[in-house]
Coordinates of all heavy atoms in Angstrom, one line a residue:
M17 N 16.9 284.5 163.7 CA 16.3 283.7 162.7 C 16.3 282.3 163.2 O 17.5 281.8 163.4 CB 16.6 284.0 161.3 CG 17.9 283.6 160.8 SD 18.3 284.1 159.2 CE 18.5 282.5 158.3
A18 N 15.2 281.6 163.4 CA 15.3 280.1 163.8 C 15.1 279.2 162.6 O 14.1 279.2 162.1 CB 14.2 279.9 164.9
G19 N 16.3 278.6 162.3 CA 16.2 277.6 161.2 C 15.7 276.2 161.6 O 16.6 275.4 161.9
L20 N 14.5 276.0 161.6 CA 13.9 274.8 162.0 C 13.9 273.8 160.8 O 14.0 272.5 161.0 CB 12.6 274.9 162.6 CG 12.5 275.4 164.0 CD1 11.1 275.6 164.5 CD2 13.3 274.4 165.0
V21 N 13.8 274.4 159.7 CA 13.9 273.5 158.5 C 15.3 273.0 158.1 O 16.1 273.9 158.0 CB 13.2 274.2 157.3 CG1 13.2 273.3 156.1 CG2 11.7 274.6 157.6
V22 N 15.4 271.8 158.0 CA 16.8 271.2 157.8 C 16.9 271.1 156.2 O 16.0 270.5 155.6 CB 16.9 269.8 158.4 CG1 18.3 269.3 158.0 CG2 16.8 270.0 159.9
A23 N 18.0 271.7 155.7 CA 18.2 271.5 154.3 C 18.5 270.3 153.9 O 19.3 269.5 154.6 CB 19.4 272.6 153.9
A24 N 17.9 269.7 152.9 CA 18.0 268.4 152.4 C 19.5 268.0 152.0 O 19.8 266.9 152.0 CB 17.1 268.1 151.2
D25 N 20.2 269.0 151.7 CA 21.6 268.8 151.3 C 22.6 268.8 152.5 O 23.8 268.4 152.3 CB 22.0 270.1 150.3 CG 23.1 269.4 149.4 OD1 23.1 268.2 149.1 OD2 23.9 270.3 148.8
S26 N 22.1 269.2 153.7 CA 23.0 269.2 154.8 C 23.1 267.8 155.5 O 22.4 266.9 155.1 CB 22.5 270.1 155.9 OG 21.2 269.5 156.3
P27 N 24.2 267.5 156.1 CA 24.3 266.2 156.8 C 23.2 265.8 157.6 O 22.7 264.6 157.5 CB 25.6 266.4 157.7 CG 26.3 267.5 157.0 CD 25.3 268.4 156.4
A28 N 22.6 266.6 158.3 CA 21.3 266.4 159.1 C 20.3 266.0 158.2 O 19.4 265.1 158.5 CB 21.0 267.5 160.0
G29 N 20.1 266.8 157.1 CA 19.0 266.4 156.1 C 19.2 265.1 155.6 O 18.2 264.3 155.3
R30 N 20.4 264.7 155.1 CA 20.6 263.4 154.6 C 20.4 262.4 155.6 O 19.9 261.2 155.3 CB 22.0 263.3 154.1 CG 22.1 263.9 152.5 CD 23.5 263.9 152.1 NE 24.2 265.1 152.5 CZ 25.5 265.3 152.4 NH1 26.2 264.3 152.0 NH2 26.0 266.5 152.7
A31 N 20.8 262.6 156.8 CA 20.5 261.6 157.9 C 19.1 261.4 158.1 O 18.7 260.3 158.3 CB 21.2 262.2 159.2
A32 N 18.2 262.5 158.1 CA 16.9 262.4 158.3 C 16.2 261.5 157.1 O 15.4 260.7 157.3 CB 16.2 263.7 158.4
E33 N 16.7 261.8 155.9 CA 16.3 261.0 154.8 C 16.6 259.6 154.9 O 15.8 258.6 154.6 CB 16.9 261.6 153.5 CG 16.1 261.2 152.2 CD 16.8 261.9 151.0 OE1 17.9 261.4 150.8 OE2 16.3 262.8 150.5
A34 N 17.8 259.3 155.4 CA 18.3 257.8 155.5 C 17.4 257.1 156.5 O 17.0 256.0 156.4 CB 19.8 257.9 155.9
I35 N 17.1 257.8 157.7 CA 16.3 257.2 158.7 C 14.9 256.9 158.1 O 14.3 255.9 158.4 CB 16.2 258.2 159.9 CG1 17.5 258.2 160.6 CG2 15.0 257.7 160.9 CD1 17.7 259.3 161.8
N36 N 14.3 257.9 157.4 CA 13.1 257.8 156.8 C 13.1 256.5 155.8 O 12.2 255.7 155.9 CB 12.8 259.1 155.9 CG 11.6 259.8 156.4 OD1 10.8 259.3 157.1 ND2 11.7 261.1 156.3
D37 N 14.1 256.4 155.0 CA 14.2 255.3 154.1 C 14.2 254.0 154.9 O 13.6 253.0 154.6 CB 15.4 255.4 153.2 CG 15.0 256.5 152.1 OD1 13.9 256.9 152.0 OD2 16.0 256.9 151.4
L38 N 15.1 254.0 155.9 CA 15.4 252.9 156.7 C 14.1 252.2 157.3 O 13.8 251.2 157.3 CB 16.4 253.2 157.8 CG 17.0 251.8 158.4 CD1 18.4 251.6 157.9 CD2 17.0 252.0 160.0
T39 N 13.3 253.3 157.9 CA 12.1 252.8 158.6 C 11.0 252.3 157.7 O 10.2 251.5 158.0 CB 11.6 254.0 159.5 OG1 11.6 255.1 158.7 CG2 12.3 254.2 160.8
R40 N 11.0 252.9 156.4 CA 10.1 252.4 155.5 C 10.4 251.0 155.1 O 9.5 250.3 154.7 CB 10.2 253.3 154.2 CG 9.3 254.5 154.2 CD 9.4 255.4 153.0 NE 9.0 254.6 151.9 CZ 9.6 254.7 150.5 NH1 10.5 255.8 150.4 NH2 9.3 254.1 149.5
H41 N 11.7 250.7 155.2 CA 12.0 249.2 154.7 C 12.3 248.4 155.9 O 13.1 247.4 155.8 CB 13.3 249.3 153.8 CG 12.9 250.0 152.5 ND1 12.5 249.2 151.4 CD2 13.0 251.3 152.0 CE1 12.3 250.2 150.4 NE2 12.6 251.2 150.7
L42 N 11.6 248.7 157.0 CA 11.7 247.8 158.2 C 10.6 246.9 158.2 O 9.4 247.2 157.8 CB 11.7 248.6 159.4 CG 13.0 249.1 160.0 CD1 12.6 249.9 161.4 CD2 13.9 248.0 160.4
P43 N 10.8 245.6 158.4 CA 9.8 244.6 158.4 C 8.7 245.0 159.5 O 9.0 245.6 160.5 CB 10.4 243.2 158.6 CG 11.7 243.6 159.2 CD 12.1 245.0 158.7
E44 N 7.5 244.4 159.4 CA 6.5 244.6 160.3 C 6.7 243.5 161.4 O 7.2 242.4 161.2 CB 5.1 244.4 159.8 CG 4.7 245.8 159.0 CD 3.5 245.6 158.2 OE1 2.7 244.7 158.5 OE2 3.4 246.5 157.3
P45 N 6.2 243.8 162.6 CA 6.5 242.9 163.8 C 6.1 241.4 163.5 O 6.8 240.5 164.0 CB 5.6 243.4 164.9 CG 5.4 244.8 164.7 CD 5.5 245.0 163.1
G46 N 5.0 241.1 162.8 CA 4.7 239.7 162.5 C 5.5 239.0 161.6 O 5.5 237.8 161.6
A47 N 6.1 239.7 160.7 CA 6.8 239.1 159.5 C 8.2 239.7 159.4 O 8.5 240.6 158.6 CB 6.1 239.3 158.2
P48 N 9.2 239.2 160.1 CA 10.5 239.7 160.3 C 11.3 239.5 159.0 O 12.4 240.1 158.9 CB 11.2 239.1 161.6 CG 10.5 237.9 161.7 CD 9.0 238.1 161.2
A49 N 10.9 238.6 158.2 CA 11.8 238.2 157.0 C 11.2 238.9 155.7 O 11.8 238.7 154.6 CB 11.7 236.7 156.9
V50 N 10.3 239.7 155.8 CA 9.7 240.3 154.6 C 9.6 241.8 154.6 O 9.3 242.3 155.7 CB 8.3 239.8 154.4 CG1 7.7 240.4 153.1 CG2 8.2 238.4 154.3
C51 N 10.1 242.5 153.6 CA 10.1 244.0 153.6 C 8.6 244.4 153.1 O 8.2 244.1 152.0 CB 11.1 244.5 152.7 SG 11.0 246.3 152.5
P52 N 8.0 245.2 153.9 CA 6.6 245.6 153.5 C 6.6 246.5 152.4 O 5.5 246.7 151.7 CB 6.1 246.2 154.8 CG 7.2 246.7 155.4 CD 8.4 245.8 155.1
T53 N 7.6 247.2 152.1 CA 7.7 248.2 151.1 C 8.0 247.5 149.7 O 7.4 247.8 148.7 CB 8.6 249.4 151.3 OG1 8.3 249.9 152.6 CG2 8.6 250.5 150.3
C54 N 9.0 246.8 149.8 CA 9.4 246.1 148.4 C 8.6 244.8 148.5 O 8.9 243.8 149.3 CB 10.8 245.6 148.4 SG 12.0 247.0 148.8
A55 N 7.6 244.8 147.7 CA 6.6 243.6 147.9 C 7.3 242.3 147.6 O 8.0 242.1 146.6 CB 5.5 243.9 146.9
A56 N 7.0 241.3 148.5 CA 7.6 239.9 148.3 C 9.1 239.9 148.2 O 9.6 239.2 147.5 CB 6.9 239.3 147.1
R57 N 9.7 240.9 148.9 CA 11.2 240.7 148.8 C 11.7 240.3 150.2 O 11.2 240.8 151.1 CB 11.7 242.1 148.4 CG 13.3 242.0 148.1 CD 13.8 243.3 147.6 NE 13.5 243.5 146.1 CZ 13.9 244.4 145.4 NH1 14.9 245.2 145.8 NH2 13.5 244.5 144.1
F58 N 12.7 239.7 150.1 CA 13.3 239.1 151.4 C 14.0 240.3 152.2 O 14.5 241.1 151.6 CB 14.3 238.0 151.1 CG 14.5 236.9 152.2 CD1 13.4 236.1 152.5 CD2 15.6 236.9 153.0 CE1 13.5 235.2 153.5 CE2 15.7 236.0 153.9 CZ 14.7 235.2 154.3
W59 N 13.7 240.2 153.5 CA 14.5 241.3 154.2 C 15.7 240.7 154.9 O 15.7 239.6 155.4 CB 13.4 241.8 155.3 CG 14.0 243.0 156.0 CD1 13.9 244.4 155.6 CD2 14.7 243.1 157.3 NE1 14.4 245.2 156.5 CE2 14.9 244.4 157.5 CE3 15.0 242.1 158.1 CZ2 15.6 244.7 158.7 CZ3 15.7 242.4 159.3 CH2 16.0 243.8 159.6
P60 N 16.7 241.5 155.2 CA 17.0 242.9 154.7 C 17.1 243.1 153.3 O 17.9 242.4 152.6 CB 18.2 243.3 155.5 CG 18.7 242.1 156.2 CD 17.7 240.9 155.8
C61 N 16.4 244.0 152.7 CA 16.4 244.3 151.3 C 17.5 245.2 151.0 O 18.2 245.8 151.8 CB 15.1 244.9 150.8 SG 14.7 246.4 151.5
T62 N 17.7 245.5 149.6 CA 18.8 246.3 149.1 C 18.6 247.7 149.7 O 19.6 248.5 150.0 CB 18.8 246.3 147.6 OG1 18.6 245.0 147.1 CG2 20.1 246.8 147.0
Y63 N 17.4 248.2 149.6 CA 17.1 249.6 150.1 C 17.4 249.8 151.5 O 17.9 250.8 151.9 CB 15.7 249.9 149.7 CG 15.3 250.0 148.2 CD1 14.8 248.8 147.6 CD2 15.6 251.1 147.4 CE1 14.6 248.8 146.3 CE2 15.3 251.0 146.2 CZ 14.7 249.9 145.5 OH 14.6 249.9 144.2
F64 N 17.0 248.8 152.3 CA 17.4 248.9 153.7 C 18.9 249.0 153.8 O 19.3 249.9 154.6 CB 17.0 247.7 154.4 CG 17.3 247.6 155.8 CD1 16.5 248.2 156.8 CD2 18.4 247.0 156.3 CE1 16.9 248.2 158.1 CE2 18.9 247.0 157.6 CZ 18.1 247.6 158.5
Y65 N 19.7 248.2 153.2 CA 21.2 248.3 153.3 C 21.7 249.7 152.8 O 22.5 250.1 153.4 CB 21.8 247.1 152.5 CG 21.9 245.9 153.2 CD1 21.4 244.6 152.7 CD2 22.4 245.8 154.5 CE1 21.5 243.4 153.4 CE2 22.5 244.6 155.2 CZ 22.1 243.4 154.6 OH 22.1 242.2 155.3
D66 N 21.1 250.1 151.8 CA 21.4 251.4 151.3 C 21.2 252.4 152.3 O 22.1 253.3 152.7 CB 20.7 251.7 150.0 CG 21.1 253.0 149.4 OD1 22.3 253.2 149.0 OD2 20.3 254.0 149.4
A67 N 20.0 252.5 152.9 CA 19.7 253.3 154.0 C 20.6 253.3 155.2 O 21.1 254.3 155.7 CB 18.3 253.4 154.3
A68 N 20.9 252.1 155.5 CA 21.8 251.8 156.7 C 23.1 252.3 156.4 O 23.8 252.8 157.3 CB 21.7 250.3 156.9
H69 N 23.6 252.1 155.2 CA 24.9 252.7 154.8 C 25.0 254.2 154.9 O 25.9 254.8 155.4 CB 25.3 252.2 153.3 CG 26.6 252.5 152.9 ND1 27.6 251.8 153.5 CD2 27.0 253.4 152.1 CE1 28.8 252.3 152.9 NE2 28.5 253.2 152.1
R70 N 23.8 254.8 154.4 CA 23.9 256.3 154.6 C 23.8 256.8 156.0 O 24.4 257.8 156.4 CB 22.6 256.8 153.8 CG 22.9 256.9 152.3 CD 21.8 257.5 151.5 NE 20.8 256.5 151.3 CZ 19.4 256.9 151.3 NH1 19.1 258.2 151.3 NH2 18.6 255.9 151.1
M71 N 23.0 256.0 156.8 CA 22.9 256.4 158.1 C 24.4 256.2 158.9 O 24.8 257.1 159.6 CB 22.0 255.4 159.0 CG 20.6 255.9 159.0 SD 19.7 254.9 160.2 CE 20.2 255.3 161.7
H72 N 25.1 255.2 158.4 CA 26.4 254.9 159.0 C 27.4 256.1 158.6 O 28.1 256.6 159.4 CB 26.9 253.6 158.4 CG 28.3 253.2 159.1 ND1 28.3 252.8 160.3 CD2 29.5 253.3 158.6 CE1 29.6 252.5 160.7 NE2 30.3 252.9 159.6
N73 N 27.2 256.6 157.4 CA 27.9 257.7 156.8 C 27.6 259.0 157.7 O 28.5 259.8 157.9 CB 27.7 258.0 155.4 CG 28.4 256.9 154.6 OD1 29.2 256.0 155.0 ND2 28.2 256.8 153.2
A74 N 26.4 259.1 158.1 CA 26.1 260.1 158.9 C 26.3 260.1 160.4 O 25.9 260.9 161.2 CB 24.5 260.5 158.7
R75 N 27.1 259.0 160.7 CA 27.6 258.8 162.0 C 26.3 258.5 163.0 O 26.3 258.9 164.1 CB 28.4 259.9 162.6 CG 29.6 260.1 161.8 CD 30.5 261.0 162.5 NE 31.8 261.2 161.5 CZ 32.9 262.0 162.0 NH1 32.8 262.5 163.1 NH2 33.7 262.1 161.2
L76 N 25.4 257.9 162.4 CA 24.2 257.5 163.2 C 24.2 255.9 163.4 O 24.8 255.2 162.6 CB 22.9 257.8 162.5 CG 22.6 259.3 162.4 CD1 21.5 259.6 161.5 CD2 22.3 259.9 163.9
R77 N 23.7 255.5 164.5 CA 23.7 254.1 164.8 C 22.5 253.5 164.3 O 21.3 253.7 164.6 CB 23.8 253.8 166.3 CG 25.2 254.1 166.8 CD 25.2 254.3 168.4 NE 24.4 253.2 169.0 CZ 24.6 252.8 170.2 NH1 25.6 253.4 170.9 NH2 23.9 251.9 170.7
V78 N 22.6 252.5 163.4 CA 21.5 251.9 162.7 C 20.7 251.1 163.8 O 19.5 251.0 163.8 CB 22.0 250.8 161.7 CG1 20.9 250.1 161.1 CG2 22.7 251.6 160.6
G79 N 21.4 250.6 164.8 CA 20.7 249.8 165.8 C 19.8 250.6 166.7 O 18.9 250.0 167.4
D80 N 19.9 251.9 166.5 CA 19.0 252.8 167.4 C 17.7 252.9 166.7 O 16.7 253.2 167.4 CB 19.6 254.1 167.6 CG 20.8 254.1 168.6 OD1 21.0 253.0 169.2 OD2 21.5 255.1 168.7
V81 N 17.7 252.6 165.5 CA 16.4 252.7 164.7 C 15.7 251.4 164.5 O 14.6 251.3 164.5 CB 16.7 253.4 163.3 CG1 15.4 253.6 162.5 CG2 17.3 254.8 163.6
V82 N 16.5 250.3 164.4 CA 16.0 249.0 164.1 C 15.6 248.4 165.4 O 16.3 248.5 166.4 CB 17.1 248.1 163.5 CG1 16.7 246.7 163.3 CG2 17.7 248.7 162.2
P83 N 14.3 247.9 165.4 CA 13.9 247.2 166.7 C 14.8 246.2 167.2 O 15.5 245.4 166.4 CB 12.5 246.6 166.2 CG 12.0 247.4 165.1 CD 13.3 247.8 164.4
V84 N 14.9 246.0 168.5 CA 15.8 245.0 169.0 C 15.7 243.6 168.5 O 16.7 242.9 168.3 CB 15.8 245.1 170.7 CG1 16.8 244.1 171.3 CG2 16.1 246.5 171.0
E85 N 14.4 243.3 168.4 CA 14.2 241.9 168.0 C 14.7 241.5 166.6 O 14.8 240.3 166.2 CB 12.7 241.4 168.1 CG 11.9 242.3 167.1 CD 11.1 243.3 167.8 OE1 11.7 243.9 168.7 OE2 10.0 243.6 167.4
L86 N 15.0 242.6 165.8 CA 15.5 242.4 164.5 C 17.1 242.4 164.5 O 17.7 242.1 163.5 CB 15.0 243.4 163.5 CG 13.4 243.4 163.3 CD1 13.1 244.6 162.4 CD2 13.1 242.1 162.5
H87 N 17.6 242.8 165.5 CA 19.1 242.9 165.6 C 19.8 241.6 165.2 O 20.8 241.5 164.5 CB 19.6 243.4 167.0 CG 19.3 244.9 167.1 ND1 20.0 245.6 168.1 CD2 18.5 245.7 166.5 CE1 19.6 246.9 168.1 NE2 18.7 247.0 167.1
P88 N 19.4 240.5 165.7 CA 20.1 239.1 165.4 C 20.0 238.7 164.0 O 20.9 238.1 163.5 CB 19.2 238.1 166.3 CG 18.6 238.8 167.3 CD 18.3 240.1 166.7
R89 N 19.0 239.3 163.2 CA 19.0 239.0 161.9 C 20.1 239.9 161.1 O 20.6 239.4 160.0 CB 17.6 239.4 161.3 CG 16.5 238.6 161.7 CD 15.2 238.9 161.0 NE 15.4 238.4 159.6 CZ 15.1 237.1 159.1 NH1 14.6 236.3 160.0 NH2 15.2 236.8 157.9
L90 N 20.3 241.0 161.6 CA 21.3 241.9 160.9 C 22.7 241.6 161.4 O 23.7 241.7 160.7 CB 20.9 243.4 161.2 CG 19.7 243.9 160.6 CD1 19.4 245.4 161.0 CD2 19.9 243.9 159.0
W91 N 22.8 241.4 162.7 CA 24.2 241.2 163.3 C 24.1 239.8 164.0 O 23.8 239.8 165.3 CB 24.5 242.3 164.2 CG 24.5 243.6 163.6 CD1 25.4 244.1 162.8 CD2 23.4 244.6 163.8 NE1 25.0 245.3 162.5 CE2 24.0 245.7 163.0 CE3 22.3 244.7 164.5 CZ2 23.1 246.9 162.9 CZ3 21.6 245.8 164.4 CH2 21.9 246.9 163.7
P92 N 24.3 238.8 163.3 CA 24.1 237.3 163.9 C 25.3 237.4 165.0 O 26.3 237.9 164.9 CB 24.5 236.4 162.9 CG 24.2 237.1 161.7 CD 24.6 238.6 162.0
P93 N 24.9 236.7 166.2 CA 25.9 236.6 167.4 C 27.1 235.8 166.8 O 26.9 234.7 166.1 CB 25.2 235.7 168.4 CG 24.0 235.2 167.7 CD 23.6 236.1 166.6
P94 N 28.3 236.3 167.3 CA 29.5 235.6 166.8 C 29.8 234.4 167.4 O 30.7 233.5 166.9 CB 30.5 236.6 167.1 CG 30.0 237.4 168.3 CD 28.5 237.5 168.1
A95 N 29.1 233.9 168.5 CA 29.4 232.7 169.2 C 28.6 231.6 168.6 O 27.8 230.8 169.2 CB 29.1 232.9 170.7
A96 N 28.8 231.4 167.3 CA 28.0 230.4 166.6 C 28.8 229.1 166.5 O 28.4 228.1 166.0 CB 27.8 230.9 165.1
S97 N 30.1 229.2 167.1 CA 31.0 228.0 166.9 C 30.7 227.0 168.3 O 31.4 225.9 168.3 CB 32.4 228.4 167.0 OG 32.7 229.2 168.2
A98 N 29.8 227.3 169.0 CA 29.4 226.6 170.2 C 28.8 225.3 169.7 O 27.7 225.3 169.3 CB 28.5 227.3 171.2
T99 N 29.6 224.2 169.8 CA 29.0 222.9 169.2 C 28.2 222.3 170.3 O 28.4 222.3 171.5 CB 30.2 222.0 168.9 OG1 31.1 222.0 169.9 CG2 30.8 222.4 167.6
P100 N 27.1 221.7 169.8 CA 26.2 221.0 170.8 C 26.7 219.7 171.5 O 26.5 219.5 172.6 CB 25.0 220.6 169.8 CG 25.5 220.6 168.6 CD 26.6 221.6 168.5
H101 N 27.6 219.0 170.9 CA 28.2 217.9 171.4 C 29.4 218.2 172.3 O 29.8 219.2 172.1 CB 28.5 216.8 170.4 CG 29.6 217.3 169.5 ND1 31.0 217.2 169.7 CD2 29.5 217.9 168.2 CE1 31.6 217.7 168.8 NE2 30.8 218.1 167.7
D102 N 29.7 217.3 173.1 CA 30.8 217.5 174.0 C 32.1 217.5 173.3 O 32.6 216.5 172.7 CB 30.9 216.3 175.2 CG 31.7 216.8 176.3 OD1 32.4 217.7 176.2 OD2 31.6 216.2 177.4
S103 N 32.8 218.6 173.3 CA 34.1 218.6 172.6 C 35.2 217.9 173.4 O 36.3 217.9 172.9 CB 34.4 220.1 172.4 OG 34.6 220.8 173.6
R104 N 35.0 217.4 174.6 CA 36.1 216.8 175.3 C 36.3 215.4 174.8 O 37.3 214.8 175.2 CB 35.7 216.7 176.8 CG 36.0 218.0 177.5 CD 35.6 217.9 179.0 NE 34.0 217.8 179.0 CZ 33.4 217.7 180.1 NH1 34.0 217.7 181.2 NH2 32.1 217.5 180.2
A105 N 35.4 214.9 174.0 CA 35.6 213.6 173.4 C 36.6 213.7 172.2 O 36.3 213.5 171.1 CB 34.3 213.0 172.9
W106 N 37.9 213.9 172.6 CA 38.9 214.1 171.7 C 40.2 213.4 172.2 O 40.5 213.7 173.4 CB 39.1 215.6 171.4 CG 40.1 215.9 170.3 CD1 41.4 216.2 170.6 CD2 39.7 215.9 169.0 NE1 41.9 216.3 169.2 CE2 41.0 216.2 168.2 CE3 38.6 215.7 168.2 CZ2 41.2 216.2 166.9 CZ3 38.8 215.7 166.8 CH2 40.0 216.0 166.2
P107 N 41.0 212.7 171.4 CA 40.7 212.6 170.0 C 39.6 211.5 169.8 O 39.3 210.7 170.5 CB 42.1 212.0 169.5 CG 42.6 211.3 170.7 CD 42.1 212.1 171.8
P108 N 39.1 211.5 168.6 CA 37.9 210.7 168.2 C 38.6 209.2 168.0 O 39.7 209.1 167.6 CB 37.4 211.2 166.8 CG 38.4 212.0 166.4 CD 39.2 212.6 167.5
E109 N 37.8 208.2 168.2 CA 38.3 206.9 168.1 C 38.2 206.3 166.8 O 37.5 205.3 166.4 CB 37.6 205.9 169.2 CG 37.7 206.3 170.6 CD 37.0 205.5 171.5 OE1 37.1 204.3 171.4 OE2 36.1 206.2 172.2
T110 N 38.8 206.9 165.8 CA 38.7 206.5 164.4 C 40.2 206.3 164.0 O 40.9 207.2 163.9 CB 38.0 207.6 163.5 OG1 38.6 208.8 163.8 CG2 36.6 207.6 163.8
G111 N 40.4 205.1 163.4 CA 41.7 204.8 162.7 C 42.9 205.0 163.6 O 43.6 205.9 163.4
T112 N 43.2 204.2 164.5 CA 44.5 204.1 165.2 C 45.5 203.5 164.5 O 45.5 202.3 164.2 CB 44.3 203.3 166.6 OG1 43.8 202.1 166.3 CG2 43.6 204.2 167.6
F113 N 46.4 204.4 163.9 CA 47.4 203.8 163.0 C 48.7 203.6 163.8 O 48.9 204.1 164.9 CB 47.7 204.8 161.9 CG 47.9 206.3 162.3 CD1 49.1 206.7 162.6 CD2 46.8 207.1 162.4 CE1 49.2 208.0 163.2 CE2 47.0 208.5 162.9 CZ 48.2 208.9 163.2
G114 N 49.6 202.7 163.1 CA 50.9 202.4 163.9 C 50.8 201.0 164.3 O 51.6 200.1 164.2
E115 N 49.8 200.6 165.1 CA 49.7 199.2 165.7 C 48.5 198.4 165.0 O 47.4 198.6 165.2 CB 49.3 199.4 167.1 CG 50.5 199.7 168.0 CD 50.2 199.6 169.4 OE1 49.4 200.5 169.9 OE2 50.7 198.8 170.1
E116 N 48.9 197.6 164.1 CA 48.0 196.9 163.4 C 48.4 195.4 163.6 O 49.2 194.8 163.0 CB 48.1 197.1 161.8 CG 47.3 198.4 161.5 CD 47.0 198.6 160.1 OE1 47.4 197.7 159.2 OE2 46.5 199.6 159.7
H117 N 47.5 194.8 164.4 CA 47.6 193.4 164.8 C 46.7 192.6 163.8 O 45.6 192.2 164.3 CB 47.4 193.0 166.2 CG 48.3 193.8 167.0 ND1 49.7 193.4 167.1 CD2 48.1 194.8 167.9 CE1 50.3 194.3 168.0 NE2 49.5 195.1 168.4
D118 N 47.1 192.4 162.6 CA 46.1 192.0 161.6 C 46.3 190.5 161.3 O 45.8 189.9 160.4 CB 46.2 192.7 160.3 CG 44.8 192.9 159.7 OD1 43.9 193.4 160.3 OD2 44.8 192.4 158.5
H119 N 47.1 189.8 162.3 CA 47.4 188.5 161.9 C 46.2 187.5 162.5 O 45.7 187.7 163.5 CB 48.7 188.0 162.7 CG 49.9 188.7 162.0 ND1 50.5 188.1 160.8 CD2 50.5 189.8 162.3 CE1 51.5 189.0 160.6 NE2 51.6 189.8 161.4
G120 N 45.9 186.5 161.7 CA 44.9 185.6 162.0 C 45.3 184.6 163.0 O 44.8 184.1 163.8
Ligands
ZN268 ZN1 12.6 247.1 151.1

């Protein structure tokens, strides 16, 4: 007997359901900040996070379902500490204490 139908209660069934929910709550290519299912709700929405959590529990990779261009929104790059100005300008020339020639 070939069991092609996955029972909804099985891990695979729950995983498939999670993937379904996740894709339903994925933003459309033109509007990456809006969930098309939850009208006028900011993305990532609560339902997306819930589905992602269930996918994670099913040992599936959320990143395999989410389009690559949306990855930075979900997982911001950790190298955000790169400062635009030159960090070699240190120490800053503010308040040299100790030597005060304040005599007129
Ligand atoms: Zn949603």
